[in-house]
Amino acid sequence: MSIISRIKPRLWMLRSLIQTIYFNFHYLPFEQAIHLPIVLYKPMLKAMKGKVIFEGKPKMGQVQLGRHIVPLYPNSGFVFENQGGTIIFRGECVMGGGSAVSVGEYGTLDIGNRFVVTAFMRLVAYNSVKIGEKCRFAWETIVMDTDLHKLKKVKGGYSRGVGKVVLGDGCWVATRCMLQKGTVLPNHTTVQAYSVVNRDFSDIPECSIIGTSSEIKVKTTGLYRDIDDDVIDFSSIK
């Protein structure tokens, strides 16, 4: 590795040093914040409410948000939005450039140790997203525990529009996958590229490969989106 390639990431870190310092001291206790365990790269801080919890003995850069890893994608930094929820880092974490995290007022995002996203991930936690240790996500992946709206039933009532996402340890999620509300993956599950996952797979063996085909089926009838009446009350979700 050349000297330039070693220095370049540190230069981007220095450019965002003020935001990094502010972020750490805003969210973490002084005895943790002084070590700057969370490092930001070209951050866009949209909302900084709620809580961020870092577990373990802190040292600089254990959590790196927006680090440019994949040269195929632009070095476009990191978008952070916490509207009042809780984010837990349980150790090392790297989220590559172009990634974004949005946590709702009542949401919880729990990330296990040694979590890595290569680039351009979208992670939305308005209820509960829990990711185990040593999980890896390829580029352009999406995790959402909510539809951000609900559907109205023709016969009365509504769809819930929100659920939970739970990943066991050692899961590998390939390029352009989308994990939706209701997703549960056992330890060491591999999700093949371009898959949409939205159900509980806890009944399958660990170390399985799952994925979806291109076949389109009618899943249900009697539901539609009423744009004048589709707001989810996240405060009532348990």
Side-chain angles (χ1 to χ4, degrees), residues 48-107:
M48 292 191 59
K49 301 177 182 178
K51 297 187 294 183
V52 173
I53 299 170
F54 178 83
E55 293 195 347
K57 186 177 180 181
K59 62 180 181 181
M60 187 174 185
Q62 286 173 294
V63 176
Q64 301 178 28
L65 305 179
R67 177 181 167 187
H68 190 221
I69 301 173
V70 181
L72 296 174
Y73 289 89
N75 185 7
S76 54
F78 185 80
V79 177
F80 178 88
E81 179 185 48
N82 186 348
Q83 299 177 12
T86 300
I87 302 172
I88 305 170
F89 294 106
R90 299 189 182 273
E92 298 176 9
C93 171
V94 177
M95 291 191 182
S99 296
V101 166
S102 177
V103 177
E105 182 179 0
Y106 305 98

Side-chain angles (χ1 to χ4, degrees), residues 139-152:
W139 52 64
E140 296 186 46
T141 49
I142 298 175
V143 178
M144 294 183 67
D145 65 359
T146 175
D147 302 325
L148 294 175
H149 58 76
K150 59 188 179 183
L151 297 179
K152 184 175 286 187

Side-chain angles (χ1 to χ4, degrees), residues 17-35:
L17 184 59
I18 293 176
Q19 293 103 317
T20 291
I21 293 171
Y22 172 67
F23 190 96
N24 281 269
F25 281 90
H26 175 75
Y27 276 121
L28 302 180
F30 180 85
E31 59 271 18
Q32 288 187 329
I34 196 68
H35 297 282

Side-chain angles (χ1 to χ4, degrees), residues 99-173:
S99 296
V101 166
S102 177
V103 177
E105 182 179 0
Y106 305 98
T108 300
L109 173 59
D110 188 332
I111 300 177
N113 187 32
R114 297 178 65 186
F115 175 63
V116 176
V117 176
T118 51
F120 276 69
M121 181 191 199
R122 302 291 179 263
L123 205 165
V124 178
Y126 273 54
N127 179 35
S128 177
V129 174
K130 182 176 176 59
I131 300 172
E133 294 186 353
K134 301 180 183 179
C135 289
R136 297 290 188 273
F137 279 67
W139 52 64
E140 296 186 46
T141 49
I142 298 175
V143 178
M144 294 183 67
D145 65 359
T146 175
D147 302 325
L148 294 175
H149 58 76
K150 59 188 179 183
L151 297 179
K152 184 175 286 187
K153 297 180 181 179
V154 173
K155 295 182 178 180
Y158 304 89
S159 68
R160 198 162 186 238
V162 62
K164 295 183 178 181
V165 175
V166 181
L167 276 65
D169 296 337
C171 291
W172 162 242
V173 181

